[in-house]
Amino acid sequence: MNIPLLQRLRNAQGAFVPVAELGAGKTLDALRTDLAELERFGFVLESHPYRGVAYRGPAARLCPDQIEHELGTRRVGRRIAVWNRVVSTNDLAAHAAASTANEGLVILAEEQTAGRGRRGRQWVAPASSSLLMSVLLFPSEHLAEAGWLTALGAVAVAEVVAAWTGLDARIKWPNDVRIAGQKIAGILVERGDGAVIGIGLNANITRADFPTELHDTATSLRILTGETVDRSELARALIRRIDDWYDRGWSLGPDALNPAWRDRSEHLGQLVQVTTPSGSHMGRLIDLDLRRGLTLAESDQNGRTRQFSVRDVLTLTPCQDGPGPNSQIVTP
């Protein structure tokens, strides 16, 4: 597929491009063949006998050639596989972990029949409506913590969503990305021979596509922007952000992710209830650090604080009406 031709049309931002400027040394018949191939794949083009050709919209399905073209990543996206229908992209990535040569493999699917969320929840989306992605990594020991990998995925998604919408994207502990309290994406990290970061990002889902019970709690890029999203360009942007943060982790260490993760937190500065294996604790969340953990300040304002390791936190929920019956105020 002639992706440079596609990019030339896209860069015109809806304006017609004269055929003479599209040829690049090709014969008219060869150019027509390339344009026809783009249209067969699903790209929306408009032709005019005198004005040339104009780009009118993305293909409804993911285009591997478009995603890979001049991607420019160092580790993530070395190989990209796009499937029509799978049980789970995470399962496919896990199977590929048999070989370390698959480091950076990205698996995308138009539809999942049994996509998973955290704590066994299901991730359901209409076909060709979302970005369903899994990334296979073989991180160093310092980067292998599930908490760090989850933060990596969440920060990358939040940054892409914020850039795409111009809105403030926040991370709801530990793995949801939300806009104004509505979930737009979730991350699921699974580890075996390698580590798999699974991402589900609502792209072209409409309000009517969501179950009624999710109308007030979920959203999508299309709902927020009012426009159909080019999911192939969305995939490119997300792959690049994941690659950038992962590469920084290798070169600068895991702490390089901390400022972005902390600043995107939906809970920082809020009164929260933290559940750990030892019980529930309530206080104001005054700091988050992937190595040191969560720092809570006591609610009685005596200045004492307590820290909880990221791996020990089972749940973190906002508190509005004071502690529940099984909660305790944190003590050092």
Side-chain angles (χ1 to χ4, degrees), residues 1 32-45 59 61:
M1 188 176 297
R32 285 173 175 163
T33 298
D34 287 343
L35 290 169
E37 184 181 19
L38 291 174
E39 289 186 299
R40 279 196 303 273
F41 190 86
F43 294 100
V44 184
L45 308 179
R61 53 183 170 142

Side-chain angles (χ1 to χ4, degrees):
M1 188 176 297
N2 192 332
I3 299 302
L5 173 62
L6 175 67
Q7 298 291 55
R8 174 70 181 86
L9 291 168
R10 282 172 50 86
N11 291 341
Q13 298 182 329
F16 282 94
V17 182
V19 172
E21 296 180 16
L22 292 174
K26 286 197 169 187
T27 65
L28 185 57
D29 284 345
L31 178 59
R32 285 173 175 163
T33 298
D34 287 343
L35 290 169
E37 184 181 19
L38 291 174
E39 289 186 299
R40 279 196 303 273
F41 190 86
F43 294 100
V44 184
L45 308 179
E46 180 183 353
S47 297
H48 189 278
Y50 305 113
R51 301 169 69 188
V53 183
Y55 177 85
R56 292 291 179 251
R61 53 183 170 142
L62 292 163
C63 178
D65 290 347
Q66 182 183 352
I67 297 170
E68 292 175 344
H69 179 67
E70 296 182 350
L71 188 60
T73 53
R74 291 173 60 88
R75 300 172 185 271
V76 179
R78 291 172 176 173
R79 289 181 53 208
I80 294 172
V82 177
W83 295 69
N84 285 328
R85 193 167 187 259
V86 301
V87 174
S88 162
T89 57
N90 267 26
D91 287 348
L92 290 177
H95 290 320
S99 171
T100 57
N102 288 323
E103 162 88 16
L105 169 67
V106 175
I107 293 178
L108 293 149
E110 298 288 0
E111 183 180 10
Q112 286 186 134
T113 59
R116 295 187 295 279
R118 192 167 178 263
R119 298 186 181 277
R121 300 184 183 96
Q122 252 194 321
W123 182 278
V124 180
S128 300
S129 67
S130 299
L131 203 60
L132 307 173
M133 174 191 293
S134 292
V135 180
L136 174 61
L137 302 174
F138 293 92
S140 66
E141 180 181 353
H142 298 302
L143 306 181
E145 285 287 337
W148 191 86
L149 293 166
T150 300
L152 164 64
V155 168
V157 170
E159 289 179 342
V160 168
V161 167
W164 207 276
T165 63
L167 300 173
D168 188 22
R170 293 278 161 181
I171 299 170
K172 177 181 178 289
W173 177 275
N175 66 327
D176 288 348
V177 176
R178 307 207 301 180
I179 299 282
Q182 294 185 310
K183 182 174 178 177
I184 195 168
I187 290 86
L188 177 66
V189 170
E190 295 178 312
R191 293 181 299 175
D193 292 334
V196 177
I197 302 177
I199 296 170
L201 172 55
N202 297 332
N204 286 325
I205 298 181
T206 66
R207 184 68 64 195
D209 292 327
F210 285 118
T212 304
E213 62 270 21
L214 296 182
H215 281 188
D216 294 330
T217 59
T219 191
S220 72
L221 292 173
R222 182 172 177 178
I223 292 170
L224 293 170
T225 65
E227 298 177 351
T228 299
V229 174
D230 186 334
R231 291 183 304 128
S232 295
E233 288 303 307
L234 183 65
R236 281 167 61 84
L238 184 52
I239 291 167
R240 283 170 167 166
R241 292 313 301 149
I242 294 171
D243 179 75
D244 182 61
W245 280 115
Y246 188 55
D247 192 55
R248 286 194 221 181
W250 274 96
S251 59
L252 302 175
D255 288 350
L257 184 62
N258 265 324
W261 181 63
R262 182 184 187 277
D263 291 347
R264 290 281 178 188
S265 170
E266 191 175 282
H267 309 290
L268 191 64
Q270 303 297 313
L271 190 66
V272 298
Q273 181 168 297
V274 174
T275 303
T276 71
S278 63
S280 296
H281 312 266
M282 193 171 78
R284 193 163 301 279
L285 183 63
I286 60 173
D287 196 20
L288 295 108
D289 185 280
L290 287 161
R291 186 161 38 85
R292 295 192 302 271
L294 284 65
T295 304
L296 297 187
E298 283 188 305
S299 301
D300 58 8
Q301 298 183 345
N302 62 13
R304 291 182 296 184
T305 62
R306 181 167 179 171
Q307 287 187 324
F308 299 89
S309 168
V310 170
R311 70 178 67 181
D312 288 338
V313 176
L314 302 177
T315 62
L316 185 154
T317 54
C319 290
Q320 310 234 342
D321 303 317
N326 299 317
S327 301
Q328 60 189 52
I329 303 298
V330 298
T331 56

